[in-house]
C-alpha cells in the first residue's frame, strides 16, 4: 500500500505529514524537527543542499542560497511587487522566457518550479526514508489567493520532484479541515493565515463532513518577510549613521541585518523590548563591525502598523463578502508564524470580541489538513479516526489516537468534502471594451459555466476571445490572462454564428477555457498561457 | 441503489441537458428561493462531489461526474447572482439578440488580419501616466511599498483598497505631490461610481 503525502510548501518553512488510521505522522528533518526551511543552497563546494543545512550558507555565500522562492513562483518578473520582493533577496534573478523569473547561480540557470522541486524532493526522500516505502502521491497546499499561474507552477514543481500532485488545496481550508475533521461540528470559522510571505483569510461553514468556504481573500505579498525588511531598513539607516558605510549594496551585510531584524521581531513577540548588538558585520575594508540596537515592542508595532492594519481590513472585507458578522464566528483559527505577534492577536480579539483559538499549532496545522485530504483522496482514511488538530500532540513524529485522553466516535466513515472557492472573477472581452463575467470570485469549485456569444459583423470568420481576471466592467482595467482564437469559421450574417465559450475552474483552482462553434463544430480547446507561468514545454530546457 | 450508481445516473441526467436554465441543473422549481438552491447544491456536494468517487469510478465516468458537479456549481453561482440582483435577468445563452457579441476583431475587408488592435495598458486608467519607476525613484521606500500595493489594488479593481494604500503612502511621504494627485484621481473615480 502506498501512502500519500500532505505538504505545506511555505515561503519560509515547509512541513510534510501523512495521515493514517492511528493519527498524523510528521516527516522529520535531520535533527528531528517537523519544520523544514524552504531553502535551497548551491554551495561553492558543489552539490545541492536543502532545508536546515542549506540555511547555514546564508552568511558565507548569500548569493548561492535561494530562499522565499514562493514569492516568485508563477509570477511575472515585470510586476512591480515582484520587483520590490527582489530587493529583499541576495541571489540573482533574471527575466526568462514568458517573463518568468529565473534564478542564476554561477553559470546555472533555474526556473522557480525547479527551485521549489528541490524542497519537495527533499521532503519526498525524507518521507521515504522515515516510512520505509515509496511515496508517489501528494496534496500540496497553496495560499488561497494564488493565481492560476502560481498554481500551475506549483504543480509543475511537484511533477519535477517526481510526485503525482493529486490536488492543490488552499492553506486556510487545510487548516479548517485539520481543526474540524471527524468532530461532527456545525460552526462558522475564520481562518487567519499570516505566514512568511503571504496572507489569507477565509470564512468557512463546517457542517459535519462538509467544509464550505464562504469567502476568501488575501494578499500574496504580505508576510513576515515584509516586517523583517521594514525593520532591516531602520537598522540599515542606523548602520549608515553609526558606521558611516551604507550597507545596502552589500549582500552579506544586508542578509545579516535581515536575520537580525527577524530575531528582534521574534524576541518582541515575547518581550516588551529588544536590546543588544548585531556583531560580525564585515565592513568592506576588511574590518569587522557591530551595530547596537534597542527597539521596543511599541516602536515595532508602529513601524509595521500599515501591514497589520491591512490584515484587519482584509478580514473585515472577507466577512462582508461572506455575509457574516463577527458575532457569528464560532472560532478564529490563527495559522502561520506571524500570528505569534501579539498586536495581531490583540487586533483580532478586538474585531471578534473573543480571543483566537489557542489549541492549534500555527506551524503544523496546514500540513495536517493536507495529509488528511491526501488520505481521504486515496481512500485510506475516514472520519472518526482521531486526526483532528487537537490530537496532534508533540511526540517526536507521531500524533496518535491513544494520546490526548480522549476517544473519538468511531462512527460511520464519512469522507470530508471540501467546497473551496474560485479566487478571482474571470471574464471575457466583449464589444465596446467591456467584460462579460463567467465565473465569480468566491464561487464554489470545481465549477463550469458556458455562455453563447455571437459575431458582431457579417462574414466574420475569425474570433478572438480575450480572457481576463478582475472585477472591473471595463476590460482594460483587468489583468489579461490570454487569448483564444477561433479561425476558419463559416461565413455567416452577423449574429448567426453561435460560439459557445466554457470556463472551467478545476478543483485545483486552475482555469481551462474552451470555445466551440455550435454548428460547424470548430473547436478550440486551449490551456491559457499565463505570463510568468512555466510554459507547458519548457522547464529546465527553456531556462538555459 | 448504491451511492456510486446514484451519482453516475444523476451526472448523466445533468450532462444530457442542452442550454439548461440554472434551476433545471439544480433540479428545483423555476421560482425557488435561495434556500432551496443552497439545499440542492449541498445535496449535490454530498453525493456528486468528484472527490468522493475518485477511487471507485473509471476515469471516463469520473469525468462525467466532475463535469456534472461543476455545472451544478455554475448554476448555483448564477442562481445566487440572479437572486441578488432583484430583477431576473434575461437568460444570456439563447438567441443572438440576447447574447453579447464578442468585439469585432478582424478588419471589415478580407485583407490581412491584425492579431490585436487594442493595446492593453498595464494598469487601470486612474493611475497617472508617469511610469512608476520614474515617479517612485523620489519616494521613500516605505511610501513605495504602499504605492505598489495601491497599484495592485487598482489592477484588481479594489478602489477602496487603493485609496487606503495611497493614504498610507502619503503618511510615509507627505511631501509627494505625485501621491496626492494619484489619490485625488482615485477618490474622483470612487465618487463617480457612487453616483
Ligand atoms: N514568535 C514569532 N514572532 C513573530 N514572527 C514569527 C515568530 N515565529 C515565526 N515568525 C515569523 O513567521 C514567518 C514564518 O511563518 P510560517 O512558517 O508560517 O510561514 P510559511 O508557511 O513559510 O509562509 P507562507 O505560508 O506565507 O508561504 C517568518 O516570517 C517568521 O519570522
Ligand atoms: Mg504557511
Amino acid at each position: 500500500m502506498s501512502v500519500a503525502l500532505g505538504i505545506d510548501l511555505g515561503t519560509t518553512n515547509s512541513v510534510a505529514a501523512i495521515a493514517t488510521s492511528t493519527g498524523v505522522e510528521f516527516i522529520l528533518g535531520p535533527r528531528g524537527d517537523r519544520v523544514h526551511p524552504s531553502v535551497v543552497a548551491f554551495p561553492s563546494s558543489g552539490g545541492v543542499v536543502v532545508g536546515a543545512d542549506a540555511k547555514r550558507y546564508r552568511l558565507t555565500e548569500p548569493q548561492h542560497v535561494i530562499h522565499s522562492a514562493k514569492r516568485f513562483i508563477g509570477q511575472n518578473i515585470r510586476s512591480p511587487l515582484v520587483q520590490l520582493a527582489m530587493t529583499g533577496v541576495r541571489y540573482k534573478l533574471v527575466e526568462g522566457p514568458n517573463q518568468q523569473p529565473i534564478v542564476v547561480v554561477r553559470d546555472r540557470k533555474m526556473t522557480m518550479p525547479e527551485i521549489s522541486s528541490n524542497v519537495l524532493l527533499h521532503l519526498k526522500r525524507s518521507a521515504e526514508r522515515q516510512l520505509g516505502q515509496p511515496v508517489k502521491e501528494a496534496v500540496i497546499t497553496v495560499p488561497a489567493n494564488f493565481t492560476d499561474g502560481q498554481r500551475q507552477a506549483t504543480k509543475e514543481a511537484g511533477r519535477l520532484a517526481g510526485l503525482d500532485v493529486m490536488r492543490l488545496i488552499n492553506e486556510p481550508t487545510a487548516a479548517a479541515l485539520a481543526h474540524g475533521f471527524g468532530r461532527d461540528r456545525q460552526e462558522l470559522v475564520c481562518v487567519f493565515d499570516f505566514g512568511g510571505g503571504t496572507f489569507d483569510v477565509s470564512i468557512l461553514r463546517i457542517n459535519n463532513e462538509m467544509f464550505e468556504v464562504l469567502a476568501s481573500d488575501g494578499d500574496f505579498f504580505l508576510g513576515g518577510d515584509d516586517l523583517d525588511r521594514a525593520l532591516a531598513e531602520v537598522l540599515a539607516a542606523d548602520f549608515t549613521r553609526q558606521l558611516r558605510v551604507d550597507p545596502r549594496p552589500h549582500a552579506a551585510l544586508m542578509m545579516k541585518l535581515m536575520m537580525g531584524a527577524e530575531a528582534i521581531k521574534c524576541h518582541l513577540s515575547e518581550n516588551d523590548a529588544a536590546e543588544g548588538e548585531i556583531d560580525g558585520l564585515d565592513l568592506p575594508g576588511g574590518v569587522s563591525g557591530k551595530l547596537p540596537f534597542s527597539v521596543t515592542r511599541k516602536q515595532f508595532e508602529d513601524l509595521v502598523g500599515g501591514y497589520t492594519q491591512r490584515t484587519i481590513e482584509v478580514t473585515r472585507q472577507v466577512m462582508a463578502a461572506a455575509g457574516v458578522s463577527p458575532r457569528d464566528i464560532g472560532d478564529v483559527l490563527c495559522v502561520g508564524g506571524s500570528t505569534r505577534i501579539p498586536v495581531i492577536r490583540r487586533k483580532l480579539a478586538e474585531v471578534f470580541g473573543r480571543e483566537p483559538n489557542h489549541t492549534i499549532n500555527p506551524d503544523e496545522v496546514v500540513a495536517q489538513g493536507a495529509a488528511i485530504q491526501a488520505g481521504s483522496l486515496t481512500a485510506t482514511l475516514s472520519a472518526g479516526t482521531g486526526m483532528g488538530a487537537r490530537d496532534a500532540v508533540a511526540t517526536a513524529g507521531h500524533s496518535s489516537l491513544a494520546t490526548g485522553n480522549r476517544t473519538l466516535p468511531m462512527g460511520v466513515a464519512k469522507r470530508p468534502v471540501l467546497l473551496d472557492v474560485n479566487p478571482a472573477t474571470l471574464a471575457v472581452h466583449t464589444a465596446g471594451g467591456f467584460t462579460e463575467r463567467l465565473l465569480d470570485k468566491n464561487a464554489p469549485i470545481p465549477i463550469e459555466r458556458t455562455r453563447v456569444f455571437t459575431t458582431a459583423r457579417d462574414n466574420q470568420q475569425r474570433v478572438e476571445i480575450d480572457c481576463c481576471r478582475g472585477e472591473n466592467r471595463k476590460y482594460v482595467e483587468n489583468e489579461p490572462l490570454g487569448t483564444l482564437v477561433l479561425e476558419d469559421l463559416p461565413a455567416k450574417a452577423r449574429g448567426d454564428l453561435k460560439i459557445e465559450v466554457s470556463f472551467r475552474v478545476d478543483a485545483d483552482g486552475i482555469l481551462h477555457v474552451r470555445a466551440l462553434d455550435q454548428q460547424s463544430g470548430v473547436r478550440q480547446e486551449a490551456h491559457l498561457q499565463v505570463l510568468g507561468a512555466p510554459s507547458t514545454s519548457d522547464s529546465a530546457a527553456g531556462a538555459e | 441503489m448504491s451511492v456510486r450508481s446514484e451519482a453516475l445516473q444523476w451526472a448523466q441526467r445533468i450532462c444530457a441537458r442542452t442550454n439548461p436554465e440554472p434551476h433545471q441543473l439544480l433540479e428545483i422549481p423555476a421560482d425557488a428561493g435561495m434556500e432551496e438552491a443552497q439545499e440542492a447544491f449541498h445535496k449535490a456536494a454530498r453525493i456528486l462531489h468528484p472527490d468522493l468517487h475518485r477511487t471507485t469510478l473509471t476515469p471516463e465516468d469520473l469525468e462525467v461526474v466532475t463535469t456534472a458537479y461543476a455545472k451544478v456549481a455554475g448554476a448555483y453561482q448564477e442562481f445566487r447572482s440572479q437572486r441578488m440582483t432583484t430583477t431576473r435577468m434575461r437568460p444570456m445563452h439563447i438567441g443572438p439578440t440576447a447574447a453579447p457579441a464578442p468585439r469585432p476583431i478582424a478588419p471589415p475587408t478580407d485583407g490581412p488580419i491584425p492579431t490585436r488592435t487594442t493595446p492593453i495598458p498595464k494598469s487601470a486608467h486612474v493611475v497617472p501616466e508617469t511610469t512608476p519607476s520614474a515617479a517612485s525613484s523620489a519616494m521613500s521606500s516605505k511610501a513605495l511599498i504602499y504605492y505598489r500595493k495601491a497599484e495592485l489594488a487598482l489592477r484588481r479593481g479594489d478602489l477602496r483598497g487603493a485609496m487606503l494604500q495611497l493614504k498610507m503612502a502619503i503618511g510615509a511621504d507627505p511631501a509627494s505631490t505625485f501621491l496626492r494627485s494619484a489619490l485625488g484621481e482615485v477618490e474622483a473615480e470612487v465618487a463617480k461610481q457612487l453616483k
Side-chain angles (χ1 to χ4, degrees):
Chain A
M1 190 195 77
S2 79
V3 288
L5 207 54
I7 301 175
D8 170 8
L9 181 62
T11 309
T12 353
N13 296 308
S14 295
V15 181
I18 61 157
T20 69
S21 55
T22 53
V24 170
E25 194 115 21
F26 287 93
I27 305 309
L28 304 180
R31 288 175 245 340
D33 21 66
R34 295 180 177 190
V35 169
H36 308 255
S38 310
V39 181
V40 182
F42 300 90
S44 307
S45 48
V48 184
V49 185
V50 184
D53 294 330
K55 248 178 139 170
R56 286 183 304 154
Y57 293 95
R58 281 199 303 182
L59 288 177
T60 48
E61 29 189 322
Q63 67 280 23
H64 301 153
V65 181
I66 320 304
H67 62 93
S68 305
K70 191 172 171 182
R71 291 205 132 178
F72 305 104
I73 197 165
Q75 292 273 18
N76 186 331
I77 194 168
R78 297 188 195 171
S79 120
L81 284 168
V82 171
Q83 291 287 323
L84 181 66
M86 279 166 67
T87 64
V89 302
R90 303 300 141 204
Y91 49 89
K92 192 171 166 196
L93 283 164
V94 298
E95 181 172 328
N98 202 25
Q99 299 178 15
Q100 63 175 317
I102 299 282
V103 170
V104 185
V105 177
R106 288 182 288 270
D107 53 355
R108 199 161 162 192
K109 290 184 173 176
M110 290 159 287
T111 64
M112 294 329 286
E114 283 178 279
I115 296 293
S116 293
S117 75
N118 284 295
V119 177
L120 294 172
L121 187 62
H122 174 75
L123 296 171
K124 177 178 186 277
R125 290 204 178 128
S126 307
E128 287 172 342
R129 214 174 307 127
Q130 183 174 331
L131 305 169
Q133 55 179 319
V135 172
K136 279 233 105 23
E137 293 167 309
V139 168
I140 303 178
T141 61
V142 291
N145 57 66
F146 248 27
T147 61
D148 193 76
Q150 291 167 302
R151 287 169 196 266
Q152 284 183 40
T154 304
K155 269 192 119 169
E156 170 73 5
R159 215 179 47 75
L160 293 173
L163 288 167
D164 165 17
V165 182
M166 291 188 287
R167 174 66 49 81
L168 300 177
I169 62 173
N170 292 332
E171 288 159 11
T173 311
L177 178 60
H179 165 75
F181 180 66
R183 289 236 165 79
D184 281 340
R185 294 181 169 229
Q186 289 87 35
E187 66 170 359
L188 284 173
V189 297
C190 171
V191 184
F192 184 94
D193 183 351
F194 193 20
T198 58
F199 167 67
D200 275 324
V201 193
S202 293
I203 307 287
L204 286 100
R205 179 165 42 213
I206 302 180
N207 187 1
N208 302 330
E209 77 280 10
M210 188 134 77
F211 294 77
E212 183 182 15
V213 180
L214 300 180
S216 181
D217 210 337
D219 192 330
F220 55 75
F221 266 106
L222 181 55
D225 279 5
D226 295 290
L227 313 184
D228 299 347
R229 204 183 34 223
L231 191 52
E233 272 179 41
V234 174
L235 294 176
D238 284 352
F239 189 99
T240 314
R241 217 172 306 118
Q242 294 182 22
L243 299 163
R244 300 187 192 288
V245 181
D246 184 355
R248 280 173 298 184
H250 306 285
L253 272 179
M254 279 311 284
M255 177 59 76
K256 198 90 208 247
L257 291 182
M258 285 285 282
M259 287 164 65
E262 190 189 0
I264 293 170
K265 172 186 78 175
C266 293
H267 185 82
L268 289 174
S269 292
E270 316 292 327
N271 304 278
D272 286 334
E275 234 172 287
E277 53 184 33
I278 305 174
D279 55 11
L281 295 166
D282 295 326
L283 294 173
V287 241
S288 185
K290 47 186 158 188
L291 179 72
F293 62 84
S294 164
V295 189
T296 65
R297 185 186 282 178
K298 177 79 176 53
Q299 283 170 329
F300 176 69
E301 287 176 0
D302 289 345
L303 178 71
V304 300
Y307 292 117
T308 50
Q309 195 50 41
R310 166 111 180 108
T311 64
I312 298 300
E313 293 285 334
V314 174
T315 305
R316 290 189 194 278
Q317 278 168 22
V318 172
M319 272 192 289
V324 302
S325 80
R327 282 189 314 279
D328 305 329
I329 302 291
D331 226 330
V332 182
L333 310 181
C334 280
V335 182
S338 298
T339 57
R340 293 207 174 85
I341 298 172
V343 65
I344 296 281
R345 291 195 177 237
R346 207 165 65 227
K347 285 189 171 177
L348 281 174
E350 265 166 36
V351 171
F352 291 99
R354 76 150 59 87
E355 295 291 320
N357 186 313
H358 290 289
T359 56
I360 64 165
N361 182 322
D363 299 321
E364 295 168 1
V365 70
V366 171
Q368 221 170 329
I372 293 170
Q373 178 70 348
S376 138
L377 285 179
T378 48
T380 52
L381 177 72
S382 49
T385 47
M387 231 61 49
R390 246 188 289 158
D391 309 301
V393 288
T395 59
H398 190 217
S399 308
S400 81
L401 180 66
T403 51
N405 225 354
R406 197 165 79 89
T407 35
L408 284 160
M410 301 292 284
V412 196
K414 274 192 178 156
R415 290 205 220 170
V417 181
L418 297 193
L419 305 182
D420 225 313
V421 295
N422 179 29
T425 298
L426 302 166
V428 297
H429 196 169
T430 58
F434 290 101
T435 59
E436 178 66 32
R437 291 170 165 219
L438 270 94
L439 297 176
D440 290 342
K441 183 186 172 92
N442 289 329
I445 56 170
I447 188 167
E448 177 172 313
R449 268 187 86 203
T450 302
R451 285 275 168 136
V452 178
F453 295 87
T454 64
T455 42
R457 281 175 296 97
D458 291 340
N459 301 328
Q460 187 176 339
Q461 289 187 298
R462 176 190 161 96
V463 165
E464 276 182 25
I465 300 148
D466 295 330
C467 308
C468 67
R469 170 175 50 228
E471 320 280 296
N472 292 301
R473 283 281 293 131
K474 285 204 181 126
Y475 177 77
V476 293
E477 292 172 18
N478 297 295
E479 196 170 332
L481 286 175
T483 303
L484 222 63
V485 182
L486 275 186
E487 281 175 309
D488 306 325
L489 296 166
K492 288 259 172 76
R494 64 186 282 245
D496 273 359
L497 213 61
K498 296 200 184 72
I499 296 155
E500 217 178 83
V501 178
S502 301
F503 272 35
R504 184 191 285 194
V505 172
D506 65 20
D508 294 330
I510 293 174
L511 173 67
H512 308 264
V513 182
R514 215 171 54 220
L516 172 74
D517 164 17
Q518 281 189 324
Q519 274 133 26
S520 76
V522 172
R523 183 189 283 269
Q524 283 278 329
E525 204 155 341
H527 204 63
L528 280 183
Q529 184 60 56
V530 184
L531 288 179
S535 48
T536 31
S537 57
D538 77 34
S539 60
E544 293 307 332
Chain B
M1 190 164 53
S2 77
V3 177
R4 188 171 119 206
S5 58
E6 183 188 355
L8 197 56
Q9 278 177 21
W10 185 348
Q12 282 159 345
R13 204 162 65 224
I14 299 278
C15 291
R17 291 184 179 274
T18 43
N19 296 340
E21 292 283 333
H23 75 265
Q24 293 174 320
L25 291 175
L26 288 162
E27 306 193 329
I28 53 176
D31 59 355
M34 258 319 287
E35 241 163 71
E36 261 172 289
Q38 190 180 37
E39 227 168 83
F41 172 62
H42 284 166
K43 185 176 166 216
R46 270 192 301 270
I47 295 170
L48 213 50
H49 197 291
D51 284 355
L52 300 170
H53 307 287
R54 200 178 166 277
T55 50
T56 48
L57 289 180
T58 63
E60 297 76 41
D61 286 347
L62 186 62
E63 176 54 29
V64 174
V65 169
T66 307
T67 304
Y69 176 76
K71 284 185 172 180
V72 173
Y76 179 52
Q77 173 204 299
E78 193 164 342
F79 201 90
R80 217 163 37 174
S81 60
Q82 281 173 3
R83 285 296 179 273
M84 273 183 223
T85 54
T86 42
T87 51
R88 215 188 141 177
M89 287 191 328
R90 242 178 327 167
M92 303 288 293
H93 44 255
I94 41 171
T97 45
R103 85 203 149 96
I105 300 108
T109 62
D110 281 329
I113 299 157
T115 45
R116 191 186 289 281
T117 46
T118 26
I120 297 164
K122 279 217 186 69
S123 55
H125 70 290
V126 285
V127 176
E129 276 306 18
T130 352
T131 63
S133 52
S136 55
S137 55
M139 251 183 248
S140 77
S141 72
K142 199 166 166 199
L144 183 60
I145 294 175
Y146 292 132
Y147 172 73
R148 297 251 153 102
K149 292 211 163 156
E151 256 190 352
L152 188 77
L154 273 185
R155 248 191 289 138
R156 290 180 178 163
D158 174 11
L159 286 173
R160 279 171 200 289
M163 253 164 68
L164 177 87
Q165 296 293 339
L166 282 173
K167 282 182 186 157
M168 292 201 285
I170 291 172
D173 192 352
S176 166
T177 51
F178 169 77
L179 286 173
R180 282 176 196 280
S181 80
L183 180 64
E185 287 190 49
V186 177
E187 277 173 345
E189 188 68 17
V190 171
K192 212 160 65 193
Q193 289 198 354
L194 283 180
K195 263 185 243 147

